[in-house]
Amino acid sequence: MEPDPEKLGDGRTPTDAHQDLSEAVPHNPPPSSFDDSAQRQAMKASNIFAKTASDVGADAMPKFSGNSAQILLKVKAKARQQRMRNRYIINPDLPNKVAFDLTIGLFVIYSVLVVPLRIPFGYQLEWYSPLWCIEATMDFCFLMDICLSFFTAFMEDDHLVFNHNKIIRRYCFSWFVPDLLSTITIPIEMAIGRGGHTDILKILRMLRMVKLLRLVKLASKMSSLNLTEYLNPALLRLLQLMLKILLIAHFIACAWLFITKMEEGQCQEDKLTDSIGDWQTCGWKGNQYSQYLAAFYWAIATMMAVGYGDISAVNSDERLFAIATQLVGAICFGFIIATVSVILETFDPCGTAKRERLEEMMRYAHEKQLTVDLQRRMRRHVNYTFTLITVFKEKSVMQFLPDHVRWKLIFFTRHRAFHSLTISRKLDVRLVMTLAQALRPAQAAANDVIVYHNDVAEDCYFVLKGTFLATRVEKNIPTLVGVYRVGSDFELDAVTNCKPVTATYTAVTAGEVMWLTQKELWKAVGQHPSSAEGLKELCANNERMLEEVDESASQKWNELQTKEVLILCDRLVFLREL
């Protein structure tokens, strides 16, 4: 009796053998007994595979040696151990982690704005007041961020590092000390108490300025966000520059308030008077908002101009600080001018590149002293061409894309040609995609001749719009041999087989065509040699139709000599049918 090929010698199926092998792999082996257990399981796996292969046949089951199975088990075990070690590591791209980082970012922005402002005014929060509780909660969140940073993977060489030791080492030598110093001030203040150790309390309050370093950390995280998908890159740079300038002006205003020290006699008590003295140095003394506004106004006026004199330096320290502010303002002003210039040049990169092409073409036309009519036609053709194809170097963009992405991109940018041309339904899709990438548009006015009979066939044409007549001279009389409309192609067989042009093609009405050079056609066929047979059959069919038209008789039709059989797009029709 023949053995059942679906059964092994012991009555089990090959699926059962594979299941036995998966059960033989230890799910969580202890590190101490891994080597011994791996050897036993590898021997068992090799025996199972050997028995299965002998019973089922060499072609039915894969062959594994004992060493291969042992290596496979070791690799799986090491991968399992690595997953166990990394189960406590946080992926920074997780939605919850991203939301937490955004919250910390808002707290950092608040600290950067508020902490420098409190130093010149000597303002301190009352313990257990609502605002004090809010800032204590922020410091608790900062402390939690420090703890999470020891378990958060980081990006290195375009991949995430999950090694815990590397994470700890990297954080300890980078942001751990600044983060800790800027977070522990409130707990230490509560431990010391507000009544004693005044010098220590002042030092602790100055340590809060370390929170400003968190702004650098926030900027590094924000740089990973790809906002260029939603905003123009140059406009985004200008927005970032303006925010940086406003932040610098805020710091300068706080420093100006600290330097002036709000001296008596420089600020008026009556805020309703309009004299210059009301705004000298620091604004109204009884209003901190007015003092900060005056300082911020002075900072912006000094950075962006030379100041207006209504708020001015009155001693050496203030004059030195004003000089430094003017130097910073000059640098910022230079960056603004450079960024605005870049925006004007790159806000419409397509229009800029198009103007450069036109200017280069016009310089060439003036150098060669071309006629005005020819220059006008050249300009009209270039303007039309760039309405259908990109002005940028498309091939250099596509050469780094994988095939499936490149095909989708070509179809998206050439969808009009794919929907219109019948060749897209006759040839291999890969060849059509490659040809579509090389197609170039052209316009034809009424009665324009595209190509003449018996010329060298260097280009083939595909009709996108309008009607074109094909005529040949018989006994010195132009004779109509074909009518080509939207979707049809002509001279594809002549270009492929290196033959002269078979007819003269004239536009009946204004039309549009896409033309393809012989070099691009041969190059595409060389890239897809399996599509050559389809192209060969298409060319042979075109030649056969033209031969049948030549063999048919000629006659007069509406004051036009024509053949009794005509080529209408991609098929033959009799004149009486028209």
Side-chain angles (χ1 to χ4, degrees):
M1 181 176 179
E2 294 287 338
D4 188 358
E6 298 296 330
K7 298 287 186 177
L8 301 180
D10 53 358
R12 297 177 299 123
T13 63
T15 305
D16 297 333
H18 284 290
Q19 186 174 2
D20 291 343
L21 176 61
S22 63
E23 293 175 355
V25 178
H27 293 284
N28 192 12
S32 58
S33 61
F34 171 73
D35 294 334
D36 297 334
S37 61
Q39 274 190 335
R40 291 195 298 271
Q41 301 300 341
M43 293 299 296
K44 182 178 179 181
S46 62
N47 293 336
I48 291 175
F49 275 107
K51 184 176 182 181
T52 303
S54 61
D55 292 339
V56 179
D59 298 331
M61 291 291 294
K63 293 183 175 63
F64 290 90
S65 64
N67 292 335
S68 300
Q70 187 175 6
I71 292 174
L72 177 64
L73 291 173
K74 286 187 176 181
V75 170
K76 288 184 176 180
K78 289 183 178 179
R80 190 182 307 109
Q81 291 177 358
Q82 186 65 32
R83 287 194 300 270
M84 292 296 293
R85 285 195 297 267
N86 294 342
R87 67 182 182 274
Y88 298 114
I89 304 302
I90 302 172
N91 190 329
D93 297 328
L94 292 177
N96 294 336
K97 185 63 170 65
V98 173
F100 180 78
D101 289 341
L102 290 176
T103 305
I104 293 296
L106 294 177
F107 293 165
V108 169
I109 294 174
Y110 172 83
S111 301
V112 166
L113 295 178
V114 172
V115 171
L117 189 59
R118 287 179 179 167
I119 293 177
F121 292 120
Y123 178 75
Q124 297 297 328
L125 294 176
E126 292 293 332
W127 283 7
Y128 305 110
S129 64
L131 189 56
W132 184 90
C133 294
I134 292 175
E135 294 197 3
T137 304
M138 291 183 183
D139 283 349
F140 176 76
C141 292
F142 288 146
L143 186 61
M144 186 184 300
D145 181 57
I146 293 175
C147 297
L148 293 179
S149 297
F150 285 104
F151 298 92
T152 303
F154 64 92
M155 186 69 66
E156 185 179 58
D157 296 334
D158 296 332
H159 72 277
L160 288 172
V161 177
F162 287 88
N163 188 291
H164 196 196
N165 294 330
K166 290 185 178 180
I167 294 173
I168 295 175
R169 191 182 311 113
R170 180 177 182 270
Y171 183 61
C172 287
F173 286 99
S174 57
W175 288 104
F176 174 67
V177 174
D179 289 349
L180 185 63
L181 291 178
S182 63
T183 306
I184 62 175
T185 54
I186 287 184
I188 295 179
E189 285 183 19
M190 294 181 64
I192 294 176
R194 189 161 286 203
H197 300 88
T198 306
D199 296 336
I200 297 178
L201 289 175
K202 289 182 178 179
I203 294 175
L204 291 176
R205 289 162 187 168
M206 292 298 296
L207 280 178
R208 293 184 183 179
M209 292 294 294
V210 182
K211 288 185 177 181
L212 300 182
L213 295 177
R214 281 183 170 266
L215 190 63
V216 181
K217 187 177 181 181
L218 177 63
S220 63
K221 289 186 178 181
M222 292 296 294
S223 62
S224 61
L225 298 179
N226 190 11
L227 298 179
T228 55
E229 297 179 359
Y230 312 100
L231 293 174
N232 182 282
L235 187 61
L236 181 61
R237 287 198 298 270
L238 178 62
L239 181 61
Q240 292 174 347
L241 179 61
M242 295 304 297
L243 292 176
K244 292 177 182 177
I245 290 176
L246 290 177
L247 186 61
I248 293 173
H250 170 71
F251 293 153
I252 291 176
C254 295
W256 175 256
L257 286 173
F258 181 78
I259 291 174
T260 57
K261 300 177 183 178
M262 290 171 284
E263 299 174 4
E264 294 292 336
Q266 291 188 351
C267 304
Q268 303 295 327
E269 295 290 344
D270 187 6
K271 64 180 181 180
L272 297 178
T273 58
D274 295 329
S275 63
I276 295 179
D278 292 336
W279 287 93
Q280 184 179 1
T281 307
C282 56
W284 294 304
K285 183 178 178 181
N287 192 328
Q288 292 181 353
Y289 169 75
S290 172
Q291 296 171 13
Y292 171 75
L293 183 61
F296 192 78
Y297 161 77
W298 175 87
I300 293 294
T302 306
M303 289 174 62
M304 298 294 104
V306 293
Y308 297 104
D310 48 356
I311 302 177
S312 58
V314 295
N315 55 47
S316 299
D317 294 338
E318 294 174 5
R319 292 189 184 98
L320 289 175
F321 185 75
I323 292 173
T325 302
Q326 291 174 2
L327 293 176
V328 173
I331 296 174
C332 294
F333 196 72
F335 275 112
I336 292 176
I337 294 176
T339 305
V340 171
S341 301
V342 172
I343 288 178
L344 295 178
E345 294 178 358
T346 62
F347 190 78
D348 184 13
C350 181
T352 303
K354 180 180 175 181
R355 285 193 298 271
E356 291 177 355
R357 293 282 187 91
L358 286 173
E359 290 174 359
E360 182 180 4
M361 185 182 67
M362 289 298 100
R363 287 195 294 268
Y364 171 80
H366 289 305
E367 179 185 355
K368 299 300 181 182
Q369 298 181 355
L370 301 180
T371 62
V372 176
D373 180 65
L374 184 56
Q375 292 183 28
R376 188 181 300 111
R377 294 183 64 181
M378 291 170 59
R379 188 183 300 108
R380 185 171 63 247
H381 171 73
V382 171
N383 288 327
Y384 167 74
T385 299
F386 290 144
T387 59
L388 296 182
I389 64 174
T390 178
V391 69
F392 303 108
K393 297 179 180 180
E394 192 175 40
K395 291 184 178 180
S396 61
V397 175
M398 292 187 179
Q399 65 180 351
F400 299 106
L401 298 177
D403 288 343
H404 65 283
V405 178
R406 184 165 62 252
W407 299 145
K408 290 181 180 180
L409 179 59
I410 294 175
F411 183 81
F412 181 80
T413 55
R414 305 288 197 280
H415 62 276
R416 182 187 176 190
F418 283 113
H419 290 303
S420 301
L421 302 181
T422 57
I423 191 176
S424 62
R425 297 182 288 274
K426 296 179 181 179
L427 298 179
D428 184 81
V429 63
R430 295 172 299 173
L431 178 61
V432 174
M433 288 285 189
T434 307
L435 294 178
Q437 187 179 356
L439 290 176
R440 295 292 180 268
Q443 271 184 321
N447 300 322
D448 276 356
V449 177
I450 304 299
V451 65
Y452 288 94
H453 185 210
N454 288 330
D455 281 354
V456 178
E458 295 181 345
D459 306 312
C460 55
Y461 302 88
F462 305 88
V463 182
L464 291 181
K465 179 182 177 182
T467 302
F468 296 83
L469 300 182
T471 58
R472 304 178 71 171
V473 177
E474 290 186 356
K475 299 178 181 180
N476 297 326
I477 301 176
T479 303
L480 180 66
V481 296
V483 180
Y484 295 88
R485 293 174 180 168
V486 177
S488 57
D489 60 87
F490 52 86
E491 296 308 315
L492 182 60
D493 50 336
V495 171
T496 304
N497 300 316
C498 298
K499 295 181 179 180
V501 178
T502 56
T504 298
Y505 297 89
T506 308
V508 180
T509 60
E512 301 176 5
V513 297
M514 302 287 285
W515 54 278
L516 179 70
T517 64
Q518 186 182 61
K519 179 181 178 180
E520 294 289 348
L521 177 62
W522 288 355
K523 182 179 178 181
V525 175
Q527 293 177 358
H528 309 285
S530 59
S531 307
E533 288 298 326
L535 181 62
K536 183 178 179 181
E537 292 178 4
L538 181 61
C539 294
N541 182 59
N542 293 340
E543 292 178 353
R544 180 186 58 80
M545 290 193 299
L546 187 60
E547 289 176 358
E548 293 186 18
V549 171
D550 289 338
E551 293 174 357
S552 64
S554 302
Q555 66 180 53
K556 283 285 185 179
W557 183 64
N558 290 343
E559 300 182 357
L560 178 67
Q561 181 166 317
T562 179
K563 292 288 187 178
E564 291 183 350
V565 179
L566 295 176
I567 299 176
L568 181 61
C569 296
D570 58 346
R571 60 190 178 91
L572 293 175
V573 295
F574 290 96
L575 182 62
R576 60 178 179 271
E577 296 178 1
L578 298 176

